[in-house]
Amino acid sequence: MSTGEPGADAPAAAAGGAGANLALATAAFALTFWAWNLVGPLSRTYTEQLALSPSQTSLLVAFPVLVGSLGRIPVGVLTDRYGGRAMFTAICLISIVPVLLVGVSGGSYPMLMLWGFFLGVAGTSFAVGIPFVNAWHAPSRRGFATGVFGAGMGGTALSALLTPHLAAALGLLGTHLAMCAALAAMGAVMWLFSRNAPGWRPSTGPALPRMREALRLRATWQASLLYAVAFGGFVAFSTYMPTLLTAAYDFAQTDAGLRTAGFALVAVVARPIGGTLSDRVGPVRVCLASFLGTALFAVLLSFHPPAEFPAGLTFVLIAFSLGLGTGGVFALVAKVVEPSRVGTVTGLVGAAGGLGGYFPPLVMGAVYQATGAYTIGFVLLAAVSLGVALYTSRAFRSVA
């Protein structure tokens, strides 16, 4: 845990450890996010093999998000206690089990649901990385650092782009075995080469009181709301877009994966931009731009514009808006939460963000099954984004 004093962080930065550990953390985050999103890019395969309804498909795609969301709460607490090096290693190695079991369960919807649920463990790595990289950087650089780390959510882009091609070349089981090997290698790399910041000290107090203290903070609940929309929107699109594009625009699975990868890549690029802009103009302005942009582009998508233009451009713009917000929210957390509580608060806020990505695919699947279109879903996204923008402008009026 960082002491929050520039002097404590300066030796680490001078030694060059900050950049190396930021790179390692980002790589581990990207790989675990790829593992977390293994089901979504193959949704059409599972739908055809198991004759799934749109609602069943959306539930299958969304289920890993549940554990990846709620699991961030205890993982954030454990990171405060054991440090990012140990926790990154543990998550990489533990994730091997559900990845393997999802790979052998492709012929059974109940088993896919069961092991997909536990696949969410891989998605908890976010709650490890934020306090880990925060501790390595002085307060004036934390917006940049968390933005760069957050670019690891590009693991969803890698998954959308490469998983369908790997499945075509290696089969479902072979694809999952390859991911198991990559997770084992990454776990070894994190244990051997990453280091906790010199200023970090383990938080040895009981976990439940620290969680209660974090829950008493108004900033925890406020940031949770903002992140539920910004990151939740990104997760929802990244997991459900292959299904949306194959259903609404009749793309092949590989073509839908390519476009989903493009969406995720734009959001990934926008995240560090959001963090850097937050250091310069303030995180509140960045968050406002994010939510207002998301509302506008969701309205445009509700009219079901034709592919590739203007629908493709609109998806790109909404990805950029959401990416800015994901960078801005945690720059805001770094401003309003003391460093000793960042891990615990990050777990709670990260859980809210993940849950924000859990429900939209379920809503979109139900809307499509009932109406044959996604119009209502996009209108709801626009309304929620506009409401959160108005709340942000009032709740954080005093934050620079």
Side-chain angles (χ1 to χ4, degrees):
M1 150 178 86
S2 169
T3 63
E5 296 297 325
D9 292 310
N21 281 280
L22 177 58
L24 287 169
T26 303
F29 181 37
L31 183 66
T32 52
F33 251 45
W34 182 346
W36 188 34
N37 192 39
L38 277 173
V39 174
L42 301 175
S43 60
R44 186 164 189 169
T45 295
Y46 292 129
T47 298
E48 292 173 351
Q49 287 185 357
L50 303 174
L52 304 180
S53 70
S55 294
Q56 286 177 312
T57 301
S58 62
L59 184 61
L60 177 64
V61 168
F63 219 42
V65 177
L66 190 59
V67 171
S69 307
L70 297 177
R72 292 176 185 182
I73 298 174
V75 166
V77 174
L78 290 171
T79 301
D80 282 343
R81 186 179 185 92
Y82 296 108
R85 177 190 180 219
M87 291 302 298
F88 265 127
T89 302
I91 286 172
C92 286
L93 298 181
I94 292 170
S95 297
I96 291 172
V97 177
V99 167
L100 175 62
L101 293 173
V102 167
V104 300
S105 302
S108 169
Y109 184 70
M111 296 305 291
L112 277 174
M113 291 290 291
L114 173 63
W115 300 120
F117 177 80
F118 290 106
L119 188 63
V121 170
T124 65
S125 60
F126 178 80
V128 179
I130 292 293
F132 179 75
V133 302
N134 264 345
W136 273 105
H137 291 82
S140 62
R141 295 279 290 169
R142 285 177 184 158
F144 165 79
T146 57
V148 171
F149 167 75
M153 67 188 191
T156 59
L158 292 173
S159 183
L161 179 62
L162 299 178
T163 299
H165 293 285
L166 287 173
L170 304 176
L172 289 176
L173 179 57
T175 299
H176 287 75
L177 288 173
M179 177 56 66
C180 289
L183 287 167
M186 183 58 72
V189 167
M190 293 305 292
W191 182 253
L192 293 172
F193 299 107
S194 71
R195 294 291 181 268
N196 295 317
W200 178 82
R201 297 291 181 271
S203 180
T204 56
L208 287 178
R210 281 188 285 126
M211 289 180 63
R212 283 196 295 267
E213 290 173 4
L215 287 170
R216 291 192 189 105
L217 296 174
R218 190 176 185 181
T220 300
W221 294 98
Q222 292 173 323
S224 293
L225 173 63
L226 273 57
Y227 205 59
V229 176
F231 184 72
F234 166 77
V235 170
F237 273 108
S238 297
T239 56
Y240 193 69
M241 188 177 284
T243 305
L244 185 154
L245 292 178
T246 55
Y249 289 97
D250 200 31
F251 282 113
Q253 184 168 266
T254 51
D255 292 334
L258 178 63
R259 286 157 179 81
T260 303
F263 175 94
L265 182 61
V266 171
V268 165
V269 170
R271 182 159 189 157
I273 294 174
T276 302
L277 286 175
S278 295
D279 290 337
R280 295 183 179 180
V281 303
V284 176
R285 290 188 180 93
V286 172
C287 289
L288 283 173
S290 167
F291 299 134
L292 291 173
T294 299
L296 172 62
F297 301 127
V299 169
L300 295 178
L301 288 172
S302 71
F303 290 100
H304 189 69
E308 300 282 343
F309 181 85
L313 176 62
T314 308
F315 277 118
V316 166
L317 292 172
I318 202 170
F320 189 81
S321 297
L322 291 168
L324 285 179
T326 58
V329 171
F330 274 96
L332 183 61
V333 169
K335 278 184 172 289
V336 298
V337 176
E338 63 181 82
S340 64
R341 293 177 174 174
V342 165
T344 304
V345 172
T346 294
L348 294 166
V349 174
L355 286 175
Y358 173 70
F359 294 104
L362 303 182
V363 173
M364 295 295 263
V367 164
Y368 188 77
Q369 186 164 329
T371 67
Y374 290 109
T375 302
I376 295 174
F378 286 120
V379 169
L380 289 173
L381 173 59
V384 169
S385 299
L386 182 59
V388 173
L390 294 173
Y391 175 78
T392 301
S393 67
R394 291 176 173 271
F396 297 100
R397 194 176 301 167
S398 62
V399 178

